[in-house]
Amino acid sequence: MASVTLLEIFLAIISFVVVRVLLNKNGQPIYWPVVGMLPDTLFHLHRAHERFTEVIERSGHTFFYLGPWFSRVKLLGTVDPANVHYIMSSNFSNFPKGPEFSKIFDVLGTGIFNSDSEWWKNQRKLAQALINHRRFHQFLVKTSREMVEKGLVPVLDHVAEQGSVVDMQDLFQRFTFDITCILVTGYNPRCLSIDFPEVEFSKAMDDAEETLFFRHLTPEWFWKLQRILGIGQERKMKKAWKTLDRTSAEYISRKRKQLNNQSPFSSDDRSEGVDLLTSYMTETQIMGSKPNDKFLRDTIVNFLLAGRDTTSSALTWFLWLISKNPQAETKIREELKASLPETEAETWRIFNPEELNKLVYLHGAICEALRLYPPVPFQHKAPLHEDLLPSGHRVNPEMKIVLCLYSMGRMESIWGKDCLEFKPERWITEGAKIRHEPSYKFLAFNAGPRTCLGKEMAFIQMKTVAAAIIHNYKVQVVEDHPVSPNISIILQMKHGLKVRISRRWI
């Protein structure tokens, strides 16, 4: 009799599941007893960004997600521009990153991207003063051109001569890691060379980012248990963390010795600018006091994470989109040629950042790539106090609010019926000027008080690289190469971007 009862219970459960699935005609995640909406997440994990886009669009731009009962996961996902503006700008003080963010991103220490309140304000003020300083801008312009000419071009020429296939995502990551290292620490790790050496620090950052993404999907107690036992993703994180600490300490020690062994800077010494680490360690007027090694370590890791991954991601997706849209590539090439003297239009050329600032179509193409494939595909906030969003949704401190940038660029109601198309023209006015879109609609560089300090830096690097490649080379994506976004906190290509390269000029 007991066995019949168990069988009946089992059949009842199966029937319940089947009925729920069949009746779920709107395609939204089903909320199951005990496990919440986790089954839908696991089922669609391989296409998480696309799934969230489907769900958020069917929900009218805002969706409430509930995890398993034991996880306390409560998320409010939104792409509503009014909500974004409210959270990021008009009521900014009530929506910090929050303590949960600090726990998840603990590897960043108390750096600028992982801090809130007064500590964040102080760090931002310092970083803003140093990044906007004339000396750093000079160093940025000089380094960007030199790294393209002496770092990127020799590798591209080598690949072209060999007729070999190269992963442009890997190449861009190496390029941006080298250039960011130079700008932040003054040291070139030479990650970008024809030998394609493995760089321990760069590999550690990849492993850390992968772990950070999975921390978003698992209860805190679970990943903390993994950490204690030294298993799973947390084992990777522990090893990566040690590498980041050790390498940062080497950068700091090298810089300290360099500064101690040279005479005080004269105006001539600084005529070509200085790196950020030098400024942090010597600009006593701006800093107020001498920074300790922990502060310098956190600053280095935060800046390298931001500079390496976001720019390389943007360049990878940009190049792929250009390869799929030859008309856009032709327009960029014609715009570049038109900016040159007639005698130089059909010759090998590296462009100066100042020349590229005038190019409207190139700027629009980069913005369009960032709209469709934002390097940081989502970010989350934690309300300090209960609040009512403009969409009518009530939030409280027990929730996380997730802003999905990837989905936002694919909303017809925000960007029009052609939202899935790559159209640089949408960024150009009738008067052939660059069209400004409000940051709460185009969130690639954040919005409000936390607007990205490195926005100009990123555009200079992206334009310099894009112009050098499009003007001087032909890039062909390998036939049938699979392209899809990976699952990480940075939107990279899961399988890289395999291409063949040939020179346009001898």
Side-chain angles (χ1 to χ4, degrees):
M1 188 72 179
S3 61
V4 174
T5 304
L6 289 173
L7 178 61
E8 289 175 343
I9 293 173
F10 176 75
L11 291 174
I13 293 173
I14 294 298
S15 300
F16 173 74
V17 170
V18 171
V19 170
R20 285 293 303 274
V21 172
L22 291 176
L23 292 178
N24 184 37
K25 297 185 182 299
N26 62 3
Q28 298 294 73
I30 296 172
Y31 179 69
W32 300 98
V34 184
V35 294
M37 298 177 182
L38 182 61
D40 187 89
T41 302
L42 296 176
F43 185 77
H44 293 284
L45 188 59
H46 65 289
R47 56 184 296 274
H49 301 296
E50 290 80 4
R51 176 55 175 164
F52 193 87
T53 301
E54 294 167 359
V55 171
I56 206 80
E57 188 168 31
R58 291 168 182 163
S59 304
H61 290 181
T62 304
F63 176 74
F64 191 55
Y65 177 92
L66 289 170
W69 292 354
F70 52 84
S71 70
R72 296 190 303 166
V73 172
K74 296 179 181 178
L75 304 176
L76 185 78
T78 186
V79 296
D80 188 326
N83 286 346
V84 173
H85 181 64
Y86 184 77
I87 292 165
M88 303 297 288
S89 299
S90 60
N91 201 21
F92 172 79
S93 60
N94 192 40
F95 295 94
K97 292 194 172 182
E100 292 298 318
F101 187 98
S102 296
K103 290 176 186 176
I104 291 174
F105 288 84
D106 53 4
V107 71
L108 299 181
T110 55
I112 189 170
F113 301 114
N114 203 26
S115 55
D116 282 315
S117 306
E118 289 303 313
W119 180 237
W120 165 76
K121 288 180 183 177
N122 291 336
Q123 287 203 72
R124 184 176 174 88
K125 185 178 178 181
L126 289 172
Q128 195 164 22
L130 297 177
I131 289 173
N132 292 338
H133 200 287
R134 176 182 53 83
R135 287 195 304 269
F136 180 72
H137 182 78
Q138 290 173 333
F139 191 52
L140 167 64
V141 170
K142 170 179 171 287
T143 303
S144 296
R145 181 185 168 89
E146 283 187 354
M147 280 301 299
V148 169
E149 191 169 5
K150 299 177 182 178
L152 184 63
V153 166
V155 175
L156 292 176
D157 283 348
H158 175 76
V159 171
E161 288 169 11
Q162 296 292 316
S164 55
V165 172
V166 64
D167 180 355
M168 289 302 293
Q169 178 166 266
D170 178 46
L171 192 149
F172 284 146
Q173 280 185 325
R174 292 170 179 275
F175 170 80
T176 55
F177 180 66
D178 281 355
I179 194 172
T180 306
C181 242
I182 296 171
L183 293 172
V184 175
T185 72
Y187 172 71
N188 185 353
R190 305 195 183 283
C191 184
L192 180 62
S193 75
I194 60 174
D195 300 323
F196 288 91
E198 182 171 318
V199 176
E200 194 180 12
F201 191 94
S202 189
K203 174 67 166 57
M205 293 182 86
D206 288 337
D207 289 342
E209 287 166 10
E210 183 181 306
T211 302
L212 292 174
F213 179 83
F214 280 98
R215 283 184 179 181
H216 283 81
L217 302 178
T218 54
E220 183 182 333
W221 65 264
F222 181 76
W223 61 260
K224 283 191 173 181
L225 179 62
Q226 279 194 330
R227 174 191 288 178
I228 293 170
L229 298 176
I231 59 175
Q233 288 292 139
E234 293 303 315
R235 183 180 180 182
K236 270 188 181 182
M237 174 63 89
K238 185 178 180 180
K239 184 179 177 182
W241 196 321
K242 285 182 178 179
T243 300
L244 298 180
D245 283 352
R246 177 172 46 77
T247 310
S248 298
E250 290 171 2
Y251 290 153
I252 295 166
S253 176
R254 183 185 292 113
K255 179 60 64 178
R256 189 167 282 128
K257 287 178 182 176
Q258 177 190 337
L259 295 175
N260 288 339
N261 291 335
Q262 64 187 31
S263 58
F265 288 116
S266 67
S267 57
D268 291 336
D269 293 327
R270 295 194 173 198
S271 61
E272 293 187 338
V274 294
D275 58 87
L276 289 176
L277 186 56
T278 295
S279 294
Y280 272 106
M281 296 173 74
T282 61
E283 293 288 353
T284 52
Q285 259 191 328
I286 297 175
M287 294 298 296
S289 62
K290 188 177 180 180
N292 59 37
D293 284 8
K294 172 66 167 60
F295 173 84
L296 294 174
R297 177 267 180 206
D298 292 347
T299 299
I300 288 171
V301 172
N302 277 247
F303 282 156
L304 286 180
L305 178 71
R308 182 197 77 142
D309 293 316
T310 54
T311 306
S312 64
S313 168
L315 282 169
T316 304
W317 289 107
F318 168 81
L319 191 64
W320 176 67
L321 287 166
I322 289 297
S323 73
K324 285 174 58 67
N325 294 272
Q327 289 183 335
E329 182 181 15
T330 299
K331 287 182 179 179
I332 294 173
R333 189 169 287 140
E334 288 173 350
E335 186 178 51
L336 289 167
K337 286 172 64 176
S339 71
L340 296 172
E342 191 172 337
T343 54
E344 298 179 29
E346 299 287 340
T347 60
W348 186 90
R349 181 72 142 75
I350 299 297
F351 292 79
N352 291 316
E354 293 86 352
E355 297 173 313
L356 299 172
N357 285 337
K358 304 170 187 175
L359 305 185
V360 175
Y361 196 87
L362 175 61
H363 185 91
I366 290 174
C367 287
E368 186 70 343
L370 290 168
R371 178 185 72 85
L372 287 168
Y373 296 97
V376 180
F378 66 91
Q379 57 174 287
H380 62 76
K381 298 286 186 178
L384 283 176
H385 310 289
E386 187 173 317
D387 209 338
L388 183 67
L389 299 180
S391 61
H393 294 83
R394 191 164 293 280
V395 294
N396 61 62
E398 294 181 1
M399 298 179 186
K400 288 179 187 173
I401 299 175
V402 178
L403 309 178
C404 188
L405 283 66
Y406 180 92
S407 301
M408 199 170 189
R410 287 162 169 71
M411 292 295 114
E412 186 176 311
S413 56
I414 298 175
W415 293 100
K417 291 185 178 180
D418 59 357
C419 62
L420 298 181
E421 296 177 31
F422 178 72
K423 289 183 63 176
E425 290 80 6
R426 78 174 78 241
W427 297 90
I428 303 172
T429 66
E430 291 183 3
K433 302 290 184 183
I434 295 170
R435 183 188 302 280
H436 170 75
E437 292 288 359
S439 56
Y440 54 82
K441 177 181 175 182
F442 177 57
L443 204 54
F445 293 99
N446 225 322
R450 279 193 180 264
T451 296
C452 178
L453 291 173
K455 181 177 179 179
E456 182 189 6
M457 196 187 314
F459 269 116
I460 286 175
Q461 291 180 24
M462 287 188 287
K463 288 178 181 179
T464 306
V465 172
I469 291 176
I470 292 173
H471 180 73
N472 298 308
Y473 300 93
K474 294 177 183 177
V475 179
Q476 183 177 10
V477 178
V478 172
E479 190 175 352
D480 297 326
H481 176 66
V483 173
S484 61
N486 68 342
I487 304 301
S488 180
I489 61 169
I490 301 294
L491 195 72
Q492 296 168 341
M493 290 188 180
K494 186 185 296 184
H495 307 286
L497 181 61
K498 303 294 179 66
V499 306
R500 283 189 169 85
I501 296 173
S502 59
R503 285 190 60 138
R504 300 187 69 239
W505 322 114
I506 297 177

